[in-house]
Amino acid sequence: MTFNEFKALAQNPPYPEGTSVYRIDVHRFKHKPQADCFPSVFEVERAQSFIYPDCETVRFMIRRFVGKEYMNQRLYALYVYELPYNADISDNLYRRVWVYDRYGQLASQSCCSTLIEDLNAPFAKFRGRDEALTPGDVVEVYDRDKNTVTIGVVVRSPRKIEQCWEVRRIVEKVCIKEGVGAELTDENYWLYADEDCYCVVTGEDFEHQHSFPRATDVLPLSSPLPSLVRDQYDTYFHLAMNYHQHEINAVVINEQTVSNRHSGLDALVELLKT
């Protein structure tokens, strides 16, 4: 595989044409912050959830949710999930998700499937993000389990396509070295949806105020912050970058760690045979 082929798969994964339904989750502010108030944490909840048969209907409904005043009141975001038939979607799994802001603009979208049934498919591999928020950006992190949105600052972005390509090259070298064969490189390339995450800090106490949220739960600011508040998050950013690089950096992937992973998997396979 060439880099251009890898990049094409990253930018346009080959999702199947199979039958799916689409769920729109409507997330609303519990108490919308006042225009002159800038809380670091505010409450948002999934207020409604609808199922539609196709993308055309979804696009129509998004315009309604955004355009109708009675629907737009306290609207925070719309999450749209592609859910294939006969797939296990427990624990909020999905094939694809798109996130729209209260104005109907696409704020984020997934790069690969999270479904267990899809794990061996090429569209389940995480091959990097072309466009991402960058370190230093002040963002909103939506914890949908706790129904809270917290203002934070990005200190690490998901791997870019070029970085994931380097991971694949390492996997290929190990496959050749260990006699597995270069043709099985993509079967042994293991970056999945869990890798598509940011590292975000929300205060100066890094140990208790950092997290690794999914990229689709890290959104641009829904309202501008005053310069004094932005300066505060800039301080958090520099503190984290100066003193916590080890915790911030993604897990190092090199030939040794890939080889160790292969050895661990082989040992597990042998254990399961006994």
Side-chain angles (χ1 to χ4, degrees), residues 45-71:
E45 63 181 348
R46 184 177 71 175
Q48 296 168 293
S49 189
F50 303 91
I51 292 289
Y52 298 105
D54 51 52
C55 290
E56 183 177 348
T57 306
V58 166
R59 287 190 288 269
F60 172 79
M61 291 307 301
I62 288 174
R63 291 194 295 270
R64 285 199 66 196
F65 285 122
V66 170
K68 298 290 185 180
E69 183 177 354
Y70 74 95
M71 290 185 174

mmCIF file of all heavy atoms in Angstrom, residues 45-71:
data_model
loop_
_atom_site.group_PDB
_atom_site.id
_atom_site.type_symbol
_atom_site.label_atom_id
_atom_site.label_comp_id
_atom_site.label_asym_id
_atom_site.label_seq_id
_atom_site.Cartn_x
_atom_site.Cartn_y
_atom_site.Cartn_z
ATOM 1 N N GLU A 45 -28.057 17.989 28.422
ATOM 2 C CA GLU A 45 -28.599 16.637 28.482
ATOM 3 C C GLU A 45 -29.224 16.239 27.151
ATOM 4 O O GLU A 45 -29.631 17.093 26.363
ATOM 5 C CB GLU A 45 -29.666 16.530 29.576
ATOM 6 C CG GLU A 45 -30.883 17.405 29.326
ATOM 7 C CD GLU A 45 -31.916 17.301 30.431
ATOM 8 O OE1 GLU A 45 -31.793 16.387 31.268
ATOM 9 O OE2 GLU A 45 -32.851 18.130 30.447
ATOM 10 N N ARG A 46 -29.280 14.930 26.925
ATOM 11 C CA ARG A 46 -30.003 14.426 25.752
ATOM 12 C C ARG A 46 -31.486 14.509 26.071
ATOM 13 O O ARG A 46 -32.006 13.762 26.895
ATOM 14 C CB ARG A 46 -29.595 12.990 25.438
ATOM 15 C CG ARG A 46 -30.253 12.463 24.159
ATOM 16 C CD ARG A 46 -29.800 11.082 23.805
ATOM 17 N NE ARG A 46 -30.320 10.077 24.728
ATOM 18 C CZ ARG A 46 -30.141 8.774 24.590
ATOM 19 N NH1 ARG A 46 -29.409 8.321 23.586
ATOM 20 N NH2 ARG A 46 -30.630 7.928 25.463
ATOM 21 N N ALA A 47 -32.167 15.425 25.404
ATOM 22 C CA ALA A 47 -33.564 15.685 25.714
ATOM 23 C C ALA A 47 -34.508 14.839 24.871
ATOM 24 O O ALA A 47 -35.598 14.477 25.322
ATOM 25 C CB ALA A 47 -33.874 17.170 25.514
ATOM 26 N N GLN A 48 -34.103 14.530 23.629
ATOM 27 C CA GLN A 48 -34.957 13.766 22.713
ATOM 28 C C GLN A 48 -34.082 12.889 21.827
ATOM 29 O O GLN A 48 -32.896 13.159 21.623
ATOM 30 C CB GLN A 48 -35.792 14.713 21.832
ATOM 31 C CG GLN A 48 -36.794 15.566 22.599
ATOM 32 C CD GLN A 48 -37.363 16.666 21.713
ATOM 33 O OE1 GLN A 48 -36.640 17.579 21.305
ATOM 34 N NE2 GLN A 48 -38.646 16.573 21.410
ATOM 35 N N SER A 49 -34.703 11.838 21.279
ATOM 36 C CA SER A 49 -33.991 10.936 20.383
ATOM 37 C C SER A 49 -34.980 10.423 19.345
ATOM 38 O O SER A 49 -36.052 9.921 19.699
ATOM 39 C CB SER A 49 -33.381 9.779 21.179
ATOM 40 O OG SER A 49 -32.521 9.020 20.375
ATOM 41 N N PHE A 50 -34.619 10.541 18.049
ATOM 42 C CA PHE A 50 -35.521 10.174 16.965
ATOM 43 C C PHE A 50 -34.818 9.237 15.986
ATOM 44 O O PHE A 50 -33.611 9.349 15.764
ATOM 45 C CB PHE A 50 -35.981 11.422 16.196
ATOM 46 C CG PHE A 50 -36.658 12.458 17.037
ATOM 47 C CD1 PHE A 50 -35.926 13.481 17.635
ATOM 48 C CD2 PHE A 50 -38.027 12.418 17.241
ATOM 49 C CE1 PHE A 50 -36.550 14.442 18.414
ATOM 50 C CE2 PHE A 50 -38.666 13.377 18.022
ATOM 51 C CZ PHE A 50 -37.918 14.393 18.613
ATOM 52 N N ILE A 51 -35.579 8.334 15.380
ATOM 53 C CA ILE A 51 -35.055 7.419 14.365
ATOM 54 C C ILE A 51 -35.634 7.799 12.996
ATOM 55 O O ILE A 51 -36.843 8.031 12.869
ATOM 56 C CB ILE A 51 -35.427 5.957 14.691
ATOM 57 C CG1 ILE A 51 -34.703 5.480 15.945
ATOM 58 C CG2 ILE A 51 -35.113 5.032 13.512
ATOM 59 C CD1 ILE A 51 -33.220 5.269 15.769
ATOM 60 N N TYR A 52 -34.751 7.828 11.971
ATOM 61 C CA TYR A 52 -35.184 8.148 10.611
ATOM 62 C C TYR A 52 -34.591 7.130 9.633
ATOM 63 O O TYR A 52 -33.548 6.526 9.909
ATOM 64 C CB TYR A 52 -34.749 9.570 10.237
ATOM 65 C CG TYR A 52 -35.373 10.605 11.146
ATOM 66 C CD1 TYR A 52 -34.622 11.230 12.137
ATOM 67 C CD2 TYR A 52 -36.718 10.932 11.038
ATOM 68 C CE1 TYR A 52 -35.190 12.158 12.980
ATOM 69 C CE2 TYR A 52 -37.299 11.858 11.885
ATOM 70 C CZ TYR A 52 -36.534 12.467 12.854
ATOM 71 O OH TYR A 52 -37.103 13.384 13.706
ATOM 72 N N PRO A 53 -35.235 6.949 8.481
ATOM 73 C CA PRO A 53 -34.845 5.848 7.590
ATOM 74 C C PRO A 53 -33.673 6.143 6.660
ATOM 75 O O PRO A 53 -33.079 5.210 6.127
ATOM 76 C CB PRO A 53 -36.117 5.602 6.770
ATOM 77 C CG PRO A 53 -36.773 6.951 6.718
ATOM 78 C CD PRO A 53 -36.488 7.603 8.037
ATOM 79 N N ASP A 54 -33.341 7.428 6.439
ATOM 80 C CA ASP A 54 -32.303 7.730 5.458
ATOM 81 C C ASP A 54 -31.683 9.093 5.726
ATOM 82 O O ASP A 54 -32.183 9.895 6.519
ATOM 83 C CB ASP A 54 -32.870 7.678 4.025
ATOM 84 C CG ASP A 54 -34.133 8.512 3.880
ATOM 85 O OD1 ASP A 54 -34.102 9.698 4.261
ATOM 86 O OD2 ASP A 54 -35.147 7.966 3.409
ATOM 87 N N CYS A 55 -30.584 9.359 5.028
ATOM 88 C CA CYS A 55 -29.840 10.603 5.227
ATOM 89 C C CYS A 55 -30.631 11.824 4.767
ATOM 90 O O CYS A 55 -30.505 12.908 5.350
ATOM 91 C CB CYS A 55 -28.510 10.539 4.475
ATOM 92 S SG CYS A 55 -27.321 9.382 5.188
ATOM 93 N N GLU A 56 -31.426 11.658 3.718
ATOM 94 C CA GLU A 56 -32.208 12.792 3.214
ATOM 95 C C GLU A 56 -33.171 13.298 4.286
ATOM 96 O O GLU A 56 -33.307 14.513 4.508
ATOM 97 C CB GLU A 56 -32.978 12.378 1.956
ATOM 98 C CG GLU A 56 -33.753 13.525 1.328
ATOM 99 C CD GLU A 56 -34.454 13.109 0.048
ATOM 100 O OE1 GLU A 56 -34.166 12.013 -0.466
ATOM 101 O OE2 GLU A 56 -35.296 13.886 -0.434
ATOM 102 N N THR A 57 -33.844 12.377 4.967
ATOM 103 C CA THR A 57 -34.750 12.772 6.033
ATOM 104 C C THR A 57 -33.986 13.420 7.179
ATOM 105 O O THR A 57 -34.452 14.402 7.784
ATOM 106 C CB THR A 57 -35.538 11.560 6.560
ATOM 107 O OG1 THR A 57 -36.180 10.903 5.472
ATOM 108 C CG2 THR A 57 -36.585 11.995 7.580
ATOM 109 N N VAL A 58 -32.808 12.887 7.486
ATOM 110 C CA VAL A 58 -31.974 13.469 8.548
ATOM 111 C C VAL A 58 -31.630 14.914 8.222
ATOM 112 O O VAL A 58 -31.741 15.805 9.082
ATOM 113 C CB VAL A 58 -30.689 12.638 8.732
ATOM 114 C CG1 VAL A 58 -29.670 13.400 9.574
ATOM 115 C CG2 VAL A 58 -31.016 11.299 9.382
ATOM 116 N N ARG A 59 -31.212 15.177 6.971
ATOM 117 C CA ARG A 59 -30.860 16.545 6.596
ATOM 118 C C ARG A 59 -32.058 17.484 6.735
ATOM 119 O O ARG A 59 -31.928 18.625 7.198
ATOM 120 C CB ARG A 59 -30.316 16.570 5.164
ATOM 121 C CG ARG A 59 -28.911 15.988 5.032
ATOM 122 C CD ARG A 59 -28.324 16.259 3.669
ATOM 123 N NE ARG A 59 -28.971 15.454 2.640
ATOM 124 C CZ ARG A 59 -28.550 14.254 2.249
ATOM 125 N NH1 ARG A 59 -27.484 13.714 2.829
ATOM 126 N NH2 ARG A 59 -29.180 13.588 1.306
ATOM 127 N N PHE A 60 -33.241 17.002 6.353
ATOM 128 C CA PHE A 60 -34.454 17.811 6.483
ATOM 129 C C PHE A 60 -34.742 18.117 7.949
ATOM 130 O O PHE A 60 -35.058 19.257 8.319
ATOM 131 C CB PHE A 60 -35.644 17.077 5.842
ATOM 132 C CG PHE A 60 -36.964 17.729 6.097
ATOM 133 C CD1 PHE A 60 -37.353 18.843 5.366
ATOM 134 C CD2 PHE A 60 -37.825 17.240 7.073
ATOM 135 C CE1 PHE A 60 -38.577 19.458 5.610
ATOM 136 C CE2 PHE A 60 -39.053 17.838 7.319
ATOM 137 C CZ PHE A 60 -39.423 18.959 6.586
ATOM 138 N N MET A 61 -34.613 17.104 8.808
ATOM 139 C CA MET A 61 -34.916 17.278 10.221
ATOM 140 C C MET A 61 -33.904 18.193 10.911
ATOM 141 O O MET A 61 -34.266 18.966 11.812
ATOM 142 C CB MET A 61 -34.994 15.926 10.920
ATOM 143 C CG MET A 61 -36.182 15.075 10.511
ATOM 144 S SD MET A 61 -37.781 15.930 10.665
ATOM 145 C CE MET A 61 -37.799 16.351 12.407
ATOM 146 N N ILE A 62 -32.656 18.123 10.512
ATOM 147 C CA ILE A 62 -31.666 19.034 11.089
ATOM 148 C C ILE A 62 -32.061 20.477 10.809
ATOM 149 O O ILE A 62 -31.995 21.345 11.692
ATOM 150 C CB ILE A 62 -30.260 18.723 10.538
ATOM 151 C CG1 ILE A 62 -29.741 17.405 11.130
ATOM 152 C CG2 ILE A 62 -29.282 19.863 10.862
ATOM 153 C CD1 ILE A 62 -28.433 16.948 10.532
ATOM 154 N N ARG A 63 -32.498 20.743 9.578
ATOM 155 C CA ARG A 63 -32.940 22.108 9.248
ATOM 156 C C ARG A 63 -34.126 22.519 10.121
ATOM 157 O O ARG A 63 -34.227 23.669 10.553
ATOM 158 C CB ARG A 63 -33.306 22.200 7.761
ATOM 159 C CG ARG A 63 -32.100 22.071 6.822
ATOM 160 C CD ARG A 63 -32.446 22.511 5.414
ATOM 161 N NE ARG A 63 -33.436 21.639 4.797
ATOM 162 C CZ ARG A 63 -33.142 20.549 4.088
ATOM 163 N NH1 ARG A 63 -31.871 20.196 3.914
ATOM 164 N NH2 ARG A 63 -34.105 19.816 3.546
ATOM 165 N N ARG A 64 -35.030 21.586 10.400
ATOM 166 C CA ARG A 64 -36.172 21.891 11.259
ATOM 167 C C ARG A 64 -35.742 22.190 12.683
ATOM 168 O O ARG A 64 -36.181 23.166 13.296
ATOM 169 C CB ARG A 64 -37.169 20.732 11.263
ATOM 170 C CG ARG A 64 -38.027 20.595 10.018
ATOM 171 C CD ARG A 64 -39.246 19.748 10.300
ATOM 172 N NE ARG A 64 -40.157 20.392 11.247
ATOM 173 C CZ ARG A 64 -41.142 19.759 11.906
ATOM 174 N NH1 ARG A 64 -41.300 18.465 11.745
ATOM 175 N NH2 ARG A 64 -41.925 20.404 12.728
ATOM 176 N N PHE A 65 -34.886 21.327 13.229
ATOM 177 C CA PHE A 65 -34.432 21.535 14.605
ATOM 178 C C PHE A 65 -33.723 22.883 14.755
ATOM 179 O O PHE A 65 -33.858 23.556 15.780
ATOM 180 C CB PHE A 65 -33.488 20.411 15.044
ATOM 181 C CG PHE A 65 -34.184 19.117 15.338
ATOM 182 C CD1 PHE A 65 -33.836 17.961 14.659
ATOM 183 C CD2 PHE A 65 -35.182 19.042 16.298
ATOM 184 C CE1 PHE A 65 -34.469 16.752 14.926
ATOM 185 C CE2 PHE A 65 -35.823 17.836 16.571
ATOM 186 C CZ PHE A 65 -35.470 16.691 15.882
ATOM 187 N N VAL A 66 -32.976 23.246 13.745
ATOM 188 C CA VAL A 66 -32.215 24.486 13.813
ATOM 189 C C VAL A 66 -33.088 25.694 13.484
ATOM 190 O O VAL A 66 -32.973 26.749 14.117
ATOM 191 C CB VAL A 66 -31.009 24.422 12.847
ATOM 192 C CG1 VAL A 66 -30.329 25.774 12.716
ATOM 193 C CG2 VAL A 66 -30.018 23.369 13.335
ATOM 194 N N GLY A 67 -33.979 25.534 12.510
ATOM 195 C CA GLY A 67 -34.731 26.670 12.000
ATOM 196 C C GLY A 67 -35.974 27.032 12.775
ATOM 197 O O GLY A 67 -36.368 28.211 12.808
ATOM 198 N N LYS A 68 -36.616 26.054 13.420
ATOM 199 C CA LYS A 68 -37.849 26.325 14.158
ATOM 200 C C LYS A 68 -37.507 26.835 15.556
ATOM 201 O O LYS A 68 -36.828 26.160 16.323
ATOM 202 C CB LYS A 68 -38.707 25.064 14.255
ATOM 203 C CG LYS A 68 -39.178 24.513 12.916
ATOM 204 C CD LYS A 68 -40.220 25.415 12.280
ATOM 205 C CE LYS A 68 -40.774 24.769 10.997
ATOM 206 N NZ LYS A 68 -41.797 25.602 10.345
ATOM 207 N N GLU A 69 -38.021 27.995 15.891
ATOM 208 C CA GLU A 69 -37.653 28.613 17.166
ATOM 209 C C GLU A 69 -38.001 27.727 18.350
ATOM 210 O O GLU A 69 -37.213 27.579 19.291
ATOM 211 C CB GLU A 69 -38.347 29.967 17.310
ATOM 212 C CG GLU A 69 -37.942 30.702 18.583
ATOM 213 C CD GLU A 69 -38.582 32.079 18.687
ATOM 214 O OE1 GLU A 69 -39.242 32.498 17.714
ATOM 215 O OE2 GLU A 69 -38.425 32.713 19.745
ATOM 216 N N TYR A 70 -39.179 27.079 18.326
ATOM 217 C CA TYR A 70 -39.580 26.274 19.466
ATOM 218 C C TYR A 70 -38.711 25.029 19.610
ATOM 219 O O TYR A 70 -38.587 24.461 20.700
ATOM 220 C CB TYR A 70 -41.060 25.880 19.368
ATOM 221 C CG TYR A 70 -41.380 24.816 18.344
ATOM 222 C CD1 TYR A 70 -41.460 23.472 18.698
ATOM 223 C CD2 TYR A 70 -41.624 25.160 17.011
ATOM 224 C CE1 TYR A 70 -41.754 22.500 17.752
ATOM 225 C CE2 TYR A 70 -41.905 24.193 16.071
ATOM 226 C CZ TYR A 70 -41.979 22.869 16.447
ATOM 227 O OH TYR A 70 -42.271 21.904 15.506
ATOM 228 N N MET A 71 -38.089 24.568 18.497
ATOM 229 C CA MET A 71 -37.171 23.427 18.573
ATOM 230 C C MET A 71 -35.762 23.866 18.934
ATOM 231 O O MET A 71 -35.001 23.127 19.561
ATOM 232 C CB MET A 71 -37.141 22.670 17.244
ATOM 233 C CG MET A 71 -38.420 21.903 16.927
ATOM 234 S SD MET A 71 -38.241 20.940 15.412
ATOM 235 C CE MET A 71 -39.789 20.031 15.391
#
